Amino acid sequence: MEFNTAGLISLDEALDKMRACVSPKIIQDAESLPLAGAAGRITATPVLSPVFVPPFDNSAMDGYAVRCADLQDGAVFPVAGKAFAGAPFHGEWPAGSCIRIMTGAPVPAGADAVIMQEQTDVSDAGVRFTAEITRGQNIRLTGDDIKRGDSVLPAGVRLGAAELPLLASLGVTDVNVWKPLKVAVFSTGDELQPVGTPLQEGQIYDTNRFAVRLMLEQLGCTVLDLGIIRDNPQALRKAFEEANAFADLVISSGGVSVGEADYTRQILDELGEIGFWKLAMKPGKPFAFGKLKNSWFCGLPGNPVSAALTFYQLVQPFIAQLSGHTAWKFPPRLKAIAVTPLKKIPGRLDFQRGIFSTSAGGQLEVLTTGHQGSHVFSSFSQANCFIVLERGRGNVAAGESVEIEPFNALLRS
């Protein structure tokens, strides 16, 4: 089926073009940081374990350590001593006796099995074992989990609450990470005013730059905020030049739709080159991508929902690649039943904001947040997913199956 989308490229094609332009950062852009300062940073090289885990043979159970050669049916074993975590047994261990041992305690030299206390009869005379015993049972061997020199984290992993305690448990003190991506941001438009400034007739608050900066900081970027640039070619050129001198990536908001693009496109042609300008996506058709002399450029639409959506779907994965975050990926898309009808005109891939949940019968369901206009930013605060409707699809009736994409941490409250 053909659609009137001349000059528009698909989301997948746009992502492919952006990703093909760059490779992850090189090792010269890395630095070594102590663990306490590495939260949110991306590993630049694999992290190797300096120790064995566990560091010694230890007991997996509370029970009794024995030498299997001493075992005899029905025999009663005197207790020769005790081994605790942090307090190993080092005394004399006579033949035909056992050692009381706790979980995590080092296994005494010569012991080759631990019998759990539930499989014993204990009396004043000693301990009798009531179950079959296998050599090596209930003993965690040195390096059974991690061996010295093993890679415990590959390059390209974001360090967080799951990764940093792991490294701390191994005695790792410093980690090699990529330096933060430097991003310059500004908004364009005579109608824009900073948040907190009284609005005059025809003016609106500059929410896009505020939202973009929040998302960039959440992604671990170093941000240069150039503020609001008025619709003036000299001011816009100066902003681009200042941004290009500082940043790895420049992000503007507004000035990329058909009626407003003249200044931005003209200056981009002078200072760099444009990769593509328009997408077969709704909302978010007027998205620009290009290259300046020293940095990459992403131009977001002026409408708040369009700006947030294009940042999420295009800029976010591009930043991950520029930052060396090779482990990054979107949450998997899922199938759900539409609880409410959805309006859709064939022609563009449509990302509608939705609320998904699981029915009493275990079926994923999704309903719309309501009006899907590109100015209705409140839909993001209500939603927990995108309802992803294919380019060729039209209206969706209640009860039809649709694809949903749960929000990742960037949009999830």
Side-chain angles (χ1 to χ4, degrees):
M1 185 175 183
E2 295 295 329
F3 308 108
N4 184 21
T5 54
L8 308 186
I9 67 171
S10 70
L11 174 63
D12 288 342
E13 186 180 356
L15 276 171
D16 288 344
K17 285 178 177 289
M18 294 171 72
R19 287 170 168 158
C21 289
V22 295
S23 298
K25 285 171 169 267
I26 56 175
I27 197 66
Q28 284 80 357
D29 290 320
E31 60 183 341
S32 181
L33 289 180
L35 290 191
R41 302 293 286 275
I42 311 299
T43 53
T45 55
V47 182
L48 307 183
S49 174
V51 297
F52 290 98
V53 180
F56 47 81
D57 294 354
N58 70 93
S59 176
M61 296 284 179
D62 291 342
Y64 298 87
V66 299
R67 292 170 292 215
C68 289
D70 291 345
L71 296 175
Q72 298 178 26
D73 290 343
V76 175
F77 286 68
V79 178
K82 296 180 180 180
F84 296 90
F89 172 78
H90 289 305
E92 182 180 352
W93 185 7
S97 63
C98 63
I99 304 295
R100 176 69 166 143
I101 192 167
M102 300 293 109
T103 301
V107 174
D112 50 12
V114 171
I115 297 91
M116 60 192 298
Q117 60 190 22
E118 290 83 359
Q119 296 176 338
T120 65
D121 284 333
V122 181
S123 65
D124 292 342
V127 182
R128 185 173 63 85
F129 305 116
T130 59
E132 184 177 345
I133 298 169
T134 304
R135 191 180 303 275
Q137 73 180 40
N138 300 323
I139 294 177
R140 298 184 290 216
L141 298 176
T142 302
D144 191 42
D145 182 13
I146 299 171
K147 293 179 173 55
R148 183 186 294 132
D150 279 356
S151 175
V152 291
L153 288 178
V157 172
R158 190 174 191 269
L159 296 171
E163 296 79 17
L164 289 169
L166 167 64
L167 301 186
S169 74
L170 301 175
V172 173
T173 58
D174 299 276
V175 62
N176 201 36
V177 295
W178 294 121
K179 291 183 178 179
L181 194 72
K182 293 184 292 185
V183 184
V185 297
F186 59 86
S187 295
T188 64
D190 289 339
E191 78 283 6
L192 299 178
Q193 290 297 313
V195 176
T197 303
L199 294 179
Q200 304 300 318
E201 185 178 2
Q203 294 180 337
I204 59 173
Y205 286 122
D206 178 19
T207 56
N208 288 359
R209 181 169 50 91
F210 181 69
V212 167
R213 178 163 187 162
L214 288 174
M215 291 190 286
L216 288 171
E217 290 172 348
Q218 191 172 342
L219 294 173
C221 301
T222 299
V223 182
L224 172 65
D225 189 344
L226 295 175
I228 299 169
I229 310 301
R230 300 305 173 189
D231 290 328
N232 176 285
Q234 288 75 32
L236 190 57
R237 182 178 291 103
K238 181 180 177 182
F240 270 113
E241 290 172 345
E242 184 178 352
N244 179 61
F246 165 83
D248 302 302
L249 172 65
V250 178
I251 301 176
S252 71
S253 173
V256 293
S257 65
V258 174
E260 309 168 55
D262 293 346
Y263 293 150
T264 301
R265 185 155 198 165
Q266 174 187 334
I267 291 168
L268 281 175
D269 283 335
E270 292 174 8
L271 301 180
E273 59 186 61
I274 298 169
F276 57 83
W277 197 264
K278 293 184 289 186
L279 301 177
M281 184 171 86
K282 181 182 180 182
K285 174 183 173 182
F287 175 86
F289 173 73
K291 182 75 170 68
L292 301 171
K293 183 177 181 181
N294 301 317
S295 59
W296 298 96
F297 169 73
C298 291
L300 308 181
N303 283 317
V305 171
S306 302
L309 176 63
T310 52
F311 186 100
Y312 186 93
Q313 293 291 340
L314 289 154
V315 182
Q316 180 182 198
F318 187 60
I319 285 175
Q321 182 157 340
L322 284 175
S323 302
H325 191 180
T326 55
W328 186 92
K329 57 184 177 181
F330 280 117
R333 291 182 181 176
L334 307 170
K335 293 292 185 182
I337 298 300
V339 176
T340 50
L342 306 171
K343 292 183 179 181
K344 167 76 163 65
I345 298 174
R348 285 189 280 163
L349 180 67
D350 197 348
F351 287 87
Q352 301 195 14
R353 278 71 66 207
I355 305 166
F356 79 91
S357 59
T358 304
S359 70
Q363 171 68 54
L364 274 183
E365 299 178 335
V366 65
L367 61 134
T368 178
T369 58
H371 184 40
Q372 296 292 310
S374 57
H375 62 290
V376 186
F377 199 81
S378 60
S379 61
F380 276 114
S381 65
Q382 301 165 21
N384 60 7
C385 71
F386 291 116
I387 307 171
V388 186
L389 303 178
E390 313 89 282
R391 289 183 65 176
R393 194 161 189 173
N395 291 335
V396 176
E400 289 187 33
S401 177
V402 294
E403 197 168 51
I404 64 170
E405 183 180 294
F407 291 165
N408 68 12
L410 199 63
L411 291 177
R412 196 169 55 235
S413 59

